[in-house]
Amino acid sequence: MISEIKLTARRLDLLNQLNIFDLQQLINYYPKKYEDLNKTKLNKDVDNQRVVCVGKIYSEIKNQRIRNNLSKTQFMMEIDGDIYTVTIFNREYLSKLLYMNKYIKVVGKLDYYHKTISASNIYLDLSDNVIPSYKLV
């Protein structure tokens, strides 16, 4: 039984909603897909496409509240000797984790000619190149 391991009632309910009732089913619950986080070479061939890049934060982190439920976090980042402006929305908490000269991994859409990246995610751990994605209830 899955109740043999320590789980909160909420976690147990979530697992049951996924039709996971014993340890064997939990062990055999595989991700529905994997996200590839291998670095992308930034050039005009990947303009307006999803890119993954690793670089060093080059400026202060700026947060801006646009409206009640929308905020923008923006900073400059050095990637392979070039400076890019990175923007990510609704991630104010990242400003406490990011600082100048910190190396990070950014996933987002590249505007090569304006040297900007609209980030969809920022990873602080540079070692992972593949991330599992599990089905949520």
Side-chain angles (χ1 to χ4, degrees):
M1 289 291 296
I2 201 151
S3 58
E4 296 170 1
I5 57 177
K6 283 189 174 183
L7 291 172
T8 64
R10 183 177 181 278
R11 279 267 183 232
L12 194 56
D13 185 48
L14 287 173
L15 287 173
N16 290 339
Q17 288 179 33
L18 291 168
N19 294 323
I20 299 174
F21 300 102
D22 61 33
L23 293 176
Q24 188 65 36
Q25 290 172 329
L26 180 61
I27 290 169
N28 290 324
Y29 184 67
Y30 299 107
K32 67 175 186 168
K33 65 179 181 177
Y34 293 89
E35 185 175 5
D36 178 12
L37 296 179
N38 288 307
K39 275 178 58 174
T40 309
K41 181 105 173 107
L42 302 185
N43 56 43
K44 62 184 173 188
D45 295 335
V46 292
D47 185 38
N48 282 323
Q49 294 182 25
R50 176 190 178 272
V51 295
V52 178
C53 48
V54 174
K56 180 173 69 171
I57 297 175
Y58 192 75
S59 70
E60 292 181 19
I61 311 302
K62 297 177 185 169
N63 284 313
Q64 180 182 9
R65 171 88 35 208
I66 297 173
R67 8 178 236 271
N68 223 8
N69 58 352
L70 183 63
S71 65
K72 176 172 80 168
T73 301
Q74 196 168 43
F75 56 91
M76 306 284 273
M77 185 172 167
E78 181 182 352
I79 305 165
D80 298 329
D82 291 326
I83 306 297
Y84 292 84
T85 301
V86 177
T87 304
I88 190 164
F89 292 93
N90 293 335
R91 308 283 173 88
E92 283 185 86
Y93 66 91
L94 283 175
S95 61
K96 295 181 175 105
L97 304 171
L98 303 177
Y99 48 86
M100 282 185 62
N101 297 321
K102 180 173 180 64
Y103 282 88
I104 60 172
K105 186 179 288 189
V106 172
V107 178
K109 186 175 179 182
L110 172 69
D111 182 341
Y112 180 76
Y113 297 103
H114 291 103
K115 299 285 189 201
T116 61
I117 299 173
S118 295
S120 58
N121 220 333
I122 294 177
Y123 296 94
L124 305 178
D125 183 6
L126 304 179
S127 62
D128 291 336
N129 286 332
V130 176
I131 303 284
S133 177
Y134 290 91
K135 177 184 171 193
L136 300 176
V137 178

